[in-house]
Amino acid sequence: MYQVKYSQWIDSEDINIISVQNRIQKEAKRKAHNLDKDPFDNGDLKNDVQFKFDTLQTLTLAKKQIKYNYIIFNYEVVNPFHQQDTERSKRVTLNEYEIVLFEVDGVIKYIVNKNNSNTIKTVLRKLNGLGNKSQTAIMPANLLGIKSDLFVWLVHNLIENPEKKIGTNYNIKIDTITSFRGEKPTMKESPKNNTITGHGETIMNMVTTLLFLFESKSISVVELHMFIDDDQLTIQLTKGGGVALNLNNFIYGPSKNSNVYQQNSEKLIFIFYYLLQQLVDSLSDEQSTRAWSDKKIQMFYKRIGRSIKQRVTEMMKSKI
């Protein structure tokens, strides 16, 4: 299964998507007449910006109107370690980015098909032609990542109430939680650690939860498999707040009959703006009403211990 890493960013330079589009288009035209050069042969270095929609698209989600566009941004740079190489493919690197630009409630955001890093911040500043302007104009908008309070809350729900629905406008149900350990947060590179399911044997889930808690510091990725109404989605959350998923395996109802750029835009907006935020808001609501508290967490831990102790005792008795 091919996973793509994504990150979300906030633009505090402007609050109007039309102004942002105009700014990006103005910078693209400026660069088209003043392309960077390859010092080896003085050839032009590519700088290409494409808006996939001539007019802004609109999505209504959770009673909010969201305006968006899909941007393809490709540009070339010279590899500083191979500036004199006669082969252009070794001398010049092509950077390719796909970006969803959207506005909701007067806030401008970007979803980029790369993990959260300072490199992406530089890319978005380059796209907007911000130059040496305020370094805080574009900043990461981290929602999740691996946070112990959210993680324990999700595990508790999965064990104690596996049919529990999360969300107001859609029925979201977590079906499986899997952890991966290691420095490289991808399924391919990080060995699977433990899996808790909403339909597995309770005692096995208890033992797995205990292992989760013991090894939490070495966990680099948490993967959630969930049901959203009649659709399914598998999504990975990393320590740095990144998100990885395969959009092709997720069918988002309203965009089923749209072109690929509209489909991908609306899927990503749904996941970042609505789905992930619903998980955070649901936890916050339960914390504010004391439905989830330090006392409840302690009780959950004690129940895990008692259940495991009871099963071990039963097994020992059966051997006598």
Side-chain angles (χ1 to χ4, degrees), residues 190-252:
S190 298
K192 185 180 292 189
N193 197 13
N194 299 293
T195 298
I196 301 173
T197 70
H199 46 78
E201 185 186 356
T202 302
I203 188 62
M204 289 305 299
N205 279 338
M206 292 291 188
V207 172
T208 303
T209 300
L210 194 61
L211 291 173
F212 264 130
L213 299 173
F214 283 149
E215 300 179 1
S216 60
K217 290 185 179 180
S218 66
I219 293 175
S220 58
V221 174
V222 169
E223 179 179 278
L224 306 177
H225 179 260
M226 61 186 77
F227 290 94
I228 304 162
D229 289 343
D230 296 326
D231 300 321
Q232 297 184 48
L233 173 66
T234 298
I235 188 168
Q236 292 182 353
L237 311 175
T238 71
K239 275 185 176 178
V243 172
L245 66 147
N246 183 348
L247 281 181
N248 294 329
N249 290 344
F250 175 48
I251 300 174
Y252 173 59

Side-chain angles (χ1 to χ4, degrees), residues 295-311:
K295 184 177 180 180
K296 289 290 181 66
I297 294 173
Q298 291 174 9
M299 291 171 62
F300 178 50
Y301 288 171
K302 288 178 180 178
R303 174 164 135 62
I304 293 172
R306 286 196 302 268
S307 297
I308 294 174
K309 182 179 179 180
Q310 181 180 350
R311 179 55 67 91

Side-chain angles (χ1 to χ4, degrees), residues 14 16-30 51 56 71 101 127-128:
D14 213 316
N16 184 287
I17 191 171
I18 296 177
S19 298
V20 175
Q21 279 199 160
N22 290 340
R23 185 174 71 204
I24 293 173
Q25 290 169 337
K26 181 179 179 181
E27 173 62 12
K29 289 178 181 178
R30 185 192 72 80
F51 283 89
L56 288 171
I71 304 170
L101 165 67
L127 176 68
N128 282 275

Side-chain angles (χ1 to χ4, degrees), residues 24-120:
I24 293 173
Q25 290 169 337
K26 181 179 179 181
E27 173 62 12
K29 289 178 181 178
R30 185 192 72 80
K31 287 293 293 183
H33 294 92
N34 187 30
L35 290 171
D36 294 335
K37 299 292 182 179
D38 178 355
F40 182 82
D41 59 6
N42 203 39
D44 291 339
L45 294 175
K46 182 178 183 178
N47 190 92
D48 182 45
V49 178
Q50 297 179 40
F51 283 89
K52 302 310 292 185
F53 302 112
D54 295 331
T55 58
L56 288 171
Q57 303 297 293
T58 302
L59 168 67
T60 301
L61 183 59
K63 299 180 181 180
K64 299 283 187 179
Q65 188 179 73
I66 301 170
K67 299 175 183 177
Y68 69 88
N69 211 325
Y70 197 97
I71 304 170
I72 305 291
F73 182 32
N74 298 331
Y75 67 91
E76 293 178 325
V77 294
V78 175
N79 187 326
F81 301 104
H82 297 278
Q83 293 186 41
Q84 300 305 312
D85 200 303
T86 56
E87 290 188 40
R88 193 179 191 278
S89 60
K90 294 181 180 179
R91 194 174 66 248
V92 176
T93 301
L94 176 64
N95 294 302
E96 302 174 280
Y97 300 95
E98 297 187 23
I99 302 164
V100 178
L101 165 67
F102 69 102
E103 174 196 336
V104 58
D105 288 339
V107 177
I108 301 297
K109 294 185 178 182
Y110 308 87
I111 302 172
V112 186
N113 66 330
K114 294 289 188 292
N115 207 7
N116 191 341
S117 69
N118 285 330
T119 299
I120 304 306

Side-chain angles (χ1 to χ4, degrees), residues 153-165:
W153 176 71
L154 289 172
V155 171
H156 171 267
N157 288 339
L158 197 55
I159 291 177
E160 302 287 359
N161 188 5
E163 296 302 316
K164 180 176 181 177
K165 302 292 194 301

